[in-house]
């Protein structure tokens, strides 16, 4: 599961002889095979992120690009090698490149050049027409005999913009009132194109404008009305989840259009043929994932029956029926009767495996795209573009929650998306949908905008946890709406934490029942930085919802117990100040500061992760030019009593800390988590070099002694060393480098020894981690047939040996 594009919009799509698809995005050029979608090559033209492709043309085996009106590149089409690069020093105002002719408008004159092999520019007085839209909204065409104004001959007076179609003297005029128009500057004629997209193609040395018309779930490519063309109309079937076409390039072969390359507003690149098939597609939205939820697919009926049988006391008759049903389903699965009776209808049914290793990955990507992925092979289960939704203005993200999982087969799973409304960032929208098929269940608009949202820790009888949203006026909204009374009865148990990035101020709210109406009440507020110095909140993390603490303490070398400080309300924050970074740990309910430290001459990136009684953070030390990793662990000398509540949680008795040097820049990190929390929790670190590293917990232990004693060796503590090693046996992605990693999501599997890891960024990576090795499962190379053969051989040898021994004893008795 990976994608190659940078997180930018496509600027140009080219077709090379119907064999290759060349895409220009940002400062990169990509080439794919048209039929299979396989990547041929990728090159970087400039060091800067943005550039303008003024023109291009194909010359035998070279692709010639005019970039930023300043330089010409000659690129080998076969392997992407740059054959030559030519600089222009003409004081260029405007320029275009077509069919080997470079049209340049300088500050003083209009010149025409022929681009030769090796990047040579030969001035040639070829007849041509170059037009532009002047500041007075008039169309001026530069010709060899002077300037010709065309505005007086055209029926338009409200031209908003003008673009060359890069084909002869054809130009596209865009107007807000009457749509698009195609101008033939050579003939001084204009043809209406409506609101359709228009491109110019060259057919038999003639330039023809083609427009794209979307109709009844299909797209048609036809010539712009009024202009003759030898091309017949072509019709293509566009997938329902592809979105609207934003750019297209027809592939022309022998006066036909067998293939159509399209780029949609849902950030999909597709190649369509006239048979209605999609040859290949790329979902470039996967490079801009801002939120992800990993959950189990629905169980099979036999697994559900077995879980129901073991879940609690049952009557004699019901237990017998459940057992019989479970055995029957196992028999059917063994005989594969389901395969014989099933009619193949595309994608097979998605079910949970017995060990919980197969997951459904629900992702939200900018600007308003939802997708579900199958962790088994990375394929897309469904995709959907959410209407009237946009990223939140506060952090540019979309937010996801699972209100009800798919583990309950007879109940519809429910997920929620929180986003800003399109066109008005002050409003928010909450969309409830089915995460298995993307069906929208409900939608609500919050006029006051969302300040913060939490998933309530209480579930109803149907296993549904409501989403609680606090708006900017401290109003409280509950989704689904039917759960309002349920949340109202438990309002005193719910707390909301909100942070302001620009001021680094954290605010704690509690919900209260105000005459049958939920309100948010401010209980505490903390300024983590100095407002006069322009402090900014870089990161704010809480304990993950799936974090489980199996053990309440750790046994020391003298057999005493050091109890963990297990506060479920811990929140860690990193603030950028004028002097450096400030890292704080607070109680989200009371606002009490449990730990705070400052690092002078420290700079972002600053990453945080919290688990059980410890949290780890990293930053860039500007003084020593290195990345440092700090581990903080909190302990109690005695176990908490039964009278402890959210408002009277004690402070930690001891705080251990240790700092380490990490050999690479950290892009993201997270702790692994397992089904019951028995397995060690390793630290997953993604580096900017593309590595995903699994660091054992013992390496980052905050209690590693500088001078180890026998009591420390008895406990199993490693001696302290400032540099953390990076052996390649800890790299879990091997040679599959993950570019520009942004998040790491860890989720448990059904087996206690397995932790599932999902990394997002420019590439996607899903794998299994074994923090305590595979102690509860057989290895993949385990051969049951060999074991059965060996056991059978031993059994046969034993029987034969026993018989031979009995005969020998009988013969000895007769002697």
């Amino acid at each position: 599961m990976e994608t190659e594009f940078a997180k930018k919009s496509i600027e140009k799509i080219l077709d090379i002889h119907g064999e290759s698809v060349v895409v220009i995005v940002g400062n990169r050029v990509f080439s794919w095979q048209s039929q299979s979608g396989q990547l041929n090559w990728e090159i970087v033209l400039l060091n800067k992120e943005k550039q303008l492709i003024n023109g291009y043309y194909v010359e035998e085996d070279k692709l010639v690009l005019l970039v930023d009106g300043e330089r010409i590149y000659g690129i080998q089409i076969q392997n992407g090698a740059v054959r030559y690069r030519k600089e222009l020093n003409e004081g260029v105002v405007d320029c275009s490149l077509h069919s080997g002719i470079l049209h340049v408008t300088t500050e003083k004159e209009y010149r025409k050049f022929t681009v030769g092999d090796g990047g040579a520019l030969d001035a040639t007085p070829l007849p041509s027409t170059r037009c532009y839209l002047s500041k007075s909204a008039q169309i001026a065409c530069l010709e060899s005999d002077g300037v010709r104004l065309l505005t007086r001959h055209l029926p338009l007076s409200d031209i908003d913009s003008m673009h060359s179609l890069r084909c002869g003297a054809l130009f596209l005029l865009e107007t807000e009132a009457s749509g698009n128009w195609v101008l033939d500057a050579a003939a001084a004629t204009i043809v209406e194109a409506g609101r359709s997209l228009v491109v110019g193609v060259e057919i038999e040395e003639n330039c023809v404008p083609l427009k794209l018309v979307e109709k009844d779930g299909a797209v048609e490519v036809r010539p712009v009305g009024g202009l003759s063309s030898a091309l017949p109309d072509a019709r293509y079937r566009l997938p329902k989840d592809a979105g609207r076409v934003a750019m297209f390039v027809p592939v022309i072969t022998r006066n036909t259009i067998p293939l159509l390359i399209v780029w949609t507003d849902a950030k999909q690149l597709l190649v369509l043929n006239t048979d209605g098939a999609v040859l290949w597609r790329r979902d470039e939205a996967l490079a801009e994932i801002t939120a992800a939820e990993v959950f189990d697919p629905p169980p099979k009926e036999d697994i559900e029956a077995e879980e129901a049988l073991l879940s609690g006391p049952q009557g004699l008759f019901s237990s017998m029926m459940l057992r019989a049903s479970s055995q029957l389903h196992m028999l059917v699965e063994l005989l594969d009767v389901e395969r014989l009776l099933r009619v193949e209808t595309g994608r097979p049914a998605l079910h949970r495996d017995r060990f919980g290793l197969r997951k459904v990955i629900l992702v939200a990507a900018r600007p308003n795209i939802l997708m579900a992925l199958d962790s088994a092979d990375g394929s897309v289960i469904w995709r959907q573009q959410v209407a009237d939704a946009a990223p939140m203005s506060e952090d540019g993200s979309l937010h996801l929650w699972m209100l009800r999982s798919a583990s309950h087969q007879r109940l519809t799973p429910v997920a929620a998306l929180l986003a800003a409304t399109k066109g008005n960032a002050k409003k928010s929208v909450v969309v409830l949908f089915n995460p298995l098929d993307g069906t929208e269940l409900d939608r609500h608009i919050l006029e006051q905008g969302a300040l913060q949202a939490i998933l309530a820790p209480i579930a109803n009888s149907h296993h549904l946890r409501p989403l609680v949203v606090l708006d900017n006026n401290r109003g409280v909204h509950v989704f689904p709406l039917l759960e309002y009374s349920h949340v109202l009865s438990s309002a005193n148990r719910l707390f909301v934490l909100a942070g302001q990035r620009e001021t680094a101020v954290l605010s704690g709210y509690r919900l209260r029942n105000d005459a049958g109406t939920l309100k948010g009440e401010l209980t505490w507020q903390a300024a983590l930085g100095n407002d006069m110095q322009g402090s900014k909140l870089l990161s704010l993390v809480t304990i993950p919802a799936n974090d489980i603490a199996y053990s309440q303490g750790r046994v020391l070398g003298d057999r005493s117990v050091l109890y963990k400080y297990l506060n479920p309300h811990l929140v860690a924050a990193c603030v950028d100040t004028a002097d450096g970074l400030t890292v704080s740990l607070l109680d989200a309910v009371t606002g009490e500061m449990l730990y705070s430290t400052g690092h002078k001459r420290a700079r972002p990136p600053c990453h945080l992760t919290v688990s059980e009684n410890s949290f780890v953070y990293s930053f860039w030390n500007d003084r020593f030019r290195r990345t440092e990793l700090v581990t903080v662990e909190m302990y109690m000398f005695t176990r908490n009593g039964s009278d402890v509540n959210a408002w009277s949680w004690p402070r930690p008795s001891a705080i251990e800390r240790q700092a380490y040097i990490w050999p690479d820049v950290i892009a993201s990190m997270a702790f692994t988590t397992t089904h019951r929390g028995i397995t060690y929790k390793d630290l997953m670190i993604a580096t900017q070099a593309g590595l995903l590293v699994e660091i054992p917990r013992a390496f980052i232990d905050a209690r590693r002694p500088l001078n180890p004693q026998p009591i420390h060796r008895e406990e199993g503590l490693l001696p302290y060393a400032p540099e953390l090693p990076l052996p390649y046996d800890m790299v879990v992605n091997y040679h599959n480098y993950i570019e520009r990693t942004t998040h790491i999501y860890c989720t448990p599997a059904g087996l206690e020894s397995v932790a599932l890891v999902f990394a997002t960024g420019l590439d996607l990576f899903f794998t299994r981690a074994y923090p305590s090795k595979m102690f509860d499962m057989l290895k993949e190379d385990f051969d049951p047939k060999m074991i059965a053969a060996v056991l059978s051989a031993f059994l046969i040898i034993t029987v034969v040996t026993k018989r031979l021994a009995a005969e020998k004893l009988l013969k000895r008795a007769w002697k």
Side-chain angles (χ1 to χ4, degrees):
M1 293 187 297
E2 59 180 285
T3 179
E4 301 284 349
F5 274 171
K7 302 177 182 179
K8 305 174 185 68
S9 299
I10 287 181
E11 298 176 1
K12 188 72 66 178
I13 304 177
L14 316 180
D15 166 56
I16 308 299
H17 303 313
E19 300 177 357
S20 303
V21 178
V22 176
V23 176
I24 303 169
V25 49
N27 58 351
R28 297 183 177 224
V29 181
F30 303 84
S31 173
W32 287 284
Q33 294 182 8
S34 298
Q35 299 295 330
S36 63
Q38 181 180 356
L39 182 67
N40 295 327
W41 48 263
E42 170 191 351
I43 61 173
V44 180
L45 295 182
L46 302 173
N47 293 327
K48 61 182 182 179
E49 294 290 334
K50 294 183 179 180
Q51 63 183 15
L52 177 63
I53 306 300
N54 303 98
Y56 68 93
Y57 86 103
V58 179
E59 181 184 28
E60 296 180 354
D61 60 342
K62 293 191 300 299
L63 170 65
V64 182
L65 294 176
L66 176 62
V67 181
D68 283 342
E70 299 176 354
R71 55 189 63 86
I72 295 177
Y73 286 89
I75 302 172
Q76 190 76 26
I77 296 177
Q78 184 178 3
N79 55 18
V82 179
R83 294 278 299 273
Y84 59 81
R85 169 177 166 176
K86 180 68 176 180
E87 298 285 344
L88 300 179
N89 299 312
E90 300 287 341
V92 177
V93 175
D94 192 12
C95 55
S96 65
L97 179 65
H98 176 69
S99 300
I101 307 301
L102 177 63
H103 308 274
V104 178
T105 304
T106 66
E107 297 176 352
K108 299 181 180 180
E109 59 182 347
Y110 172 65
R111 302 179 63 187
K112 288 165 282 188
F113 300 91
T114 300
V115 180
D117 192 14
L121 299 177
D122 302 323
T124 306
L126 296 177
S128 181
T129 304
R130 178 63 184 167
C131 302
Y132 64 93
L133 185 65
S134 65
K135 296 181 179 180
S136 60
Q138 294 195 17
I139 300 176
C141 291
L142 299 171
E143 298 179 343
S144 58
D145 56 351
V147 179
R148 180 164 59 105
L149 296 178
L150 296 181
T151 309
R152 67 190 67 174
H153 304 290
L154 302 178
L156 299 176
S157 58
D158 56 347
I159 302 175
D160 297 323
S161 62
M162 177 178 176
H163 308 286
S164 173
L165 293 180
R166 310 298 179 190
C167 186
L170 296 180
F171 297 88
L172 179 65
L173 309 179
E174 296 180 349
T175 65
E176 184 176 355
S178 55
N180 299 333
W181 298 75
V182 176
L183 167 67
D184 187 348
T189 59
I190 187 169
V191 180
E192 184 177 4
R195 302 289 180 180
S196 304
L197 298 174
V198 180
V199 297
V201 296
E202 187 172 353
I203 304 174
E204 298 178 354
E205 299 183 357
N206 296 322
C207 290
V208 178
L210 300 178
K211 67 178 181 179
L212 188 77
V213 180
E214 298 186 40
K215 183 179 180 181
D216 299 332
V219 293
E220 295 182 0
V221 177
R222 61 182 67 164
V224 176
L227 298 177
S228 61
S229 171
L231 284 177
D233 294 351
R235 182 180 177 89
Y236 309 88
R237 178 65 57 181
L238 192 67
K240 294 181 179 179
D241 54 5
R244 296 184 61 85
V245 178
M247 188 184 303
F248 77 99
V249 174
V251 179
I252 300 175
T253 304
R254 298 177 182 177
N255 292 337
T256 61
I257 311 178
L259 298 178
L260 182 68
I261 308 168
V262 298
W263 170 256
T264 69
D265 59 355
K267 296 192 175 182
Q268 292 188 34
L269 182 65
L270 304 97
V271 176
L272 313 174
N273 63 11
T274 52
D275 297 332
V278 178
L279 295 185
W280 56 270
R281 72 161 71 184
R282 294 178 57 86
D283 289 286
E284 301 306 329
L286 293 175
E288 299 190 59
I289 294 176
T290 63
E293 287 286 339
V294 184
F295 64 95
D296 289 311
K300 289 185 177 180
E301 295 183 3
D302 57 337
I303 299 179
E304 186 184 29
E306 183 177 346
E307 291 178 350
L309 184 65
L310 301 175
S311 60
Q314 303 282 344
L316 179 62
F317 180 75
S318 60
S319 298
M320 183 182 65
M321 293 302 296
L322 283 174
R323 175 63 68 182
S325 175
S326 175
Q327 297 297 328
L328 179 61
H329 283 294
M330 291 180 184
L331 179 61
V332 170
E333 183 179 2
L334 178 64
L335 299 177
D336 207 6
V337 177
E338 184 179 353
R339 181 184 61 84
L340 299 177
L341 299 179
R342 184 176 68 235
V343 178
E344 295 295 338
T345 58
R347 187 180 185 86
L350 185 65
H351 292 296
R352 187 178 70 194
D353 57 76
R354 192 166 296 277
F355 298 119
L357 300 176
R358 188 181 188 181
K359 301 287 184 178
V360 177
I361 306 174
L362 179 66
V363 299
R366 284 190 288 263
N368 57 350
I369 299 171
L370 290 173
M371 301 178 69
L373 310 177
D374 188 349
S375 68
D377 55 4
S379 60
V380 178
I381 302 174
W382 60 265
R383 57 178 67 80
Q384 178 179 331
Q385 192 174 13
V386 183
D388 300 327
M392 304 289 287
S393 58
E394 179 69 19
D395 53 4
S397 301
L398 305 170
H399 303 278
L400 282 175
W401 291 271
M402 285 293 299
L403 277 61
R404 179 165 55 207
S405 68
S407 301
H408 315 285
Q409 195 173 37
R410 293 175 177 81
L411 297 174
T412 302
V414 181
L417 171 72
L418 176 62
T421 57
K422 190 174 183 179
N424 189 353
K426 295 183 179 180
K427 296 182 180 180
S428 301
V429 59
V430 177
V431 180
L432 304 181
F433 61 96
N434 186 340
L436 290 180
D437 56 16
T439 304
E440 186 172 317
L441 304 176
D442 202 358
R443 175 188 290 259
H444 301 276
I445 302 295
L446 304 180
E447 298 293 337
Q448 304 299 330
L451 177 63
Q452 186 58 282
I454 62 169
L455 192 62
I458 51 178
N460 61 11
S461 58
H462 298 290
H463 310 284
L464 180 69
R465 297 174 61 184
L467 180 68
V468 180
V469 181
L470 180 68
D471 63 29
N472 292 315
N473 285 350
R474 301 186 186 179
V476 178
H477 309 267
V478 179
F479 305 101
L481 299 178
L482 296 177
E483 299 301 315
Y484 193 88
S485 59
H486 189 200
V487 176
L488 188 65
S489 61
S490 306
N492 58 347
R493 297 165 48 192
L494 300 179
F495 306 89
V496 179
L497 174 69
Q500 299 179 8
R501 290 184 177 271
E502 300 302 326
T503 60
V505 175
L506 298 184
S507 303
Y509 301 86
R510 67 176 301 180
L511 304 188
R512 60 183 177 88
N513 186 346
D514 186 6
T517 303
L518 286 173
K519 295 289 185 180
E521 180 183 358
L522 181 65
T523 55
W524 62 270
Q525 199 168 51
L528 302 182
N530 191 337
D531 294 338
M532 301 300 294
Q533 298 178 353
S535 302
K536 184 177 181 180
L537 182 62
L538 297 177
S539 181
L540 182 67
V541 298
T542 59
I543 295 180
N546 58 3
D547 187 68
I548 300 174
Y550 178 79
S551 175
Q552 294 188 5
R554 57 187 299 176
V555 180
L556 305 182
D558 58 358
R559 297 298 185 267
S560 62
V561 177
L562 190 61
Y563 293 99
K564 299 178 182 178
Y565 181 74
L566 300 176
N567 186 344
H569 313 125
L570 291 179
V571 56
C574 181
V575 178
D576 186 12
T577 63
D579 298 332
L581 297 179
T582 300
V583 179
S584 305
L585 189 69
L586 302 91
D587 188 313
V589 175
T590 62
E592 184 178 8
M593 186 73 67
L594 303 177
Y595 173 84
S596 182
T597 185
H599 298 275
K600 293 186 177 181
R601 299 187 64 179
R603 293 291 177 262
C606 180
H607 301 283
L608 298 166
T609 182
V610 185
S611 177
E612 293 187 6
N613 66 318
S614 64
F615 79 101
V616 179
Y617 63 94
S618 66
F619 58 89
W620 174 257
N621 190 320
D622 204 25
R623 179 182 178 185
F624 296 104
R625 312 295 296 174
R626 66 192 185 193
T627 299
E628 295 187 3
L629 194 74
V630 180
T631 303
V632 179
E633 297 179 359
M634 294 164 289
Y635 295 95
M636 301 287 293
F637 295 144
T638 58
R639 185 184 302 180
N640 290 335
S642 59
D643 57 341
V644 175
N645 56 50
W647 292 100
S648 61
W649 208 276
R651 293 181 59 87
S653 304
I655 297 179
E656 303 285 348
R657 64 184 68 85
Q658 204 66 272
Y660 302 94
I661 301 172
W662 181 253
D664 199 354
V665 179
I666 296 177
S668 182
M669 60 183 181
F671 279 109
T672 60
T673 180
T674 54
H675 185 58
R676 298 189 180 277
I678 302 175
T679 305
Y680 288 117
K681 296 183 178 181
D682 289 351
L683 182 66
M684 305 299 300
I685 296 180
T687 69
Q688 288 191 1
L691 303 180
L692 184 61
V693 188
E694 181 181 359
I695 304 297
R697 187 63 177 268
F699 280 37
I700 57 171
D701 198 319
R703 299 182 64 252
R704 289 180 61 175
L706 185 61
N707 299 312
Q709 303 297 325
I711 191 173
H712 297 136
R713 289 191 290 268
E714 181 71 19
E715 187 181 346
L717 296 177
L718 299 177
Y720 175 74
E723 296 89 1
L724 285 175
L726 184 54
Y728 279 88
D729 58 353
M730 294 183 184
V731 179
V732 299
N733 59 329
Y734 303 104
H735 62 279
N736 299 313
Y737 294 102
I738 311 172
E739 298 293 338
R740 305 184 190 182
T741 307
T742 55
H743 294 90
I744 298 177
Y745 301 91
C746 296
T747 186
L751 294 173
E752 176 58 30
S753 64
V754 182
L756 303 179
V757 181
F758 177 54
T760 66
L762 191 60
D763 299 328
L764 304 182
F765 186 78
F766 186 88
T767 188
R768 305 174 190 173
Y770 305 93
S772 300
K773 308 303 179 184
M774 297 180 291
F775 61 84
D776 59 352
M777 62 183 300
L778 298 174
K779 294 184 178 180
E780 295 181 356
D781 58 352
F782 177 79
D783 192 351
K785 295 181 180 180
M786 178 63 70
I787 298 297
V790 172
L791 291 178
S792 300
F794 273 117
L795 180 61
I796 293 173
I797 293 173
T798 302
V799 173
V800 173
T801 305
K802 182 178 180 181
R803 184 175 181 82
L804 293 177
E807 292 179 356
K808 183 177 181 181
L809 292 176
L810 182 61
K811 290 181 180 179
R812 182 182 298 177
W814 281 101
K815 288 183 179 180

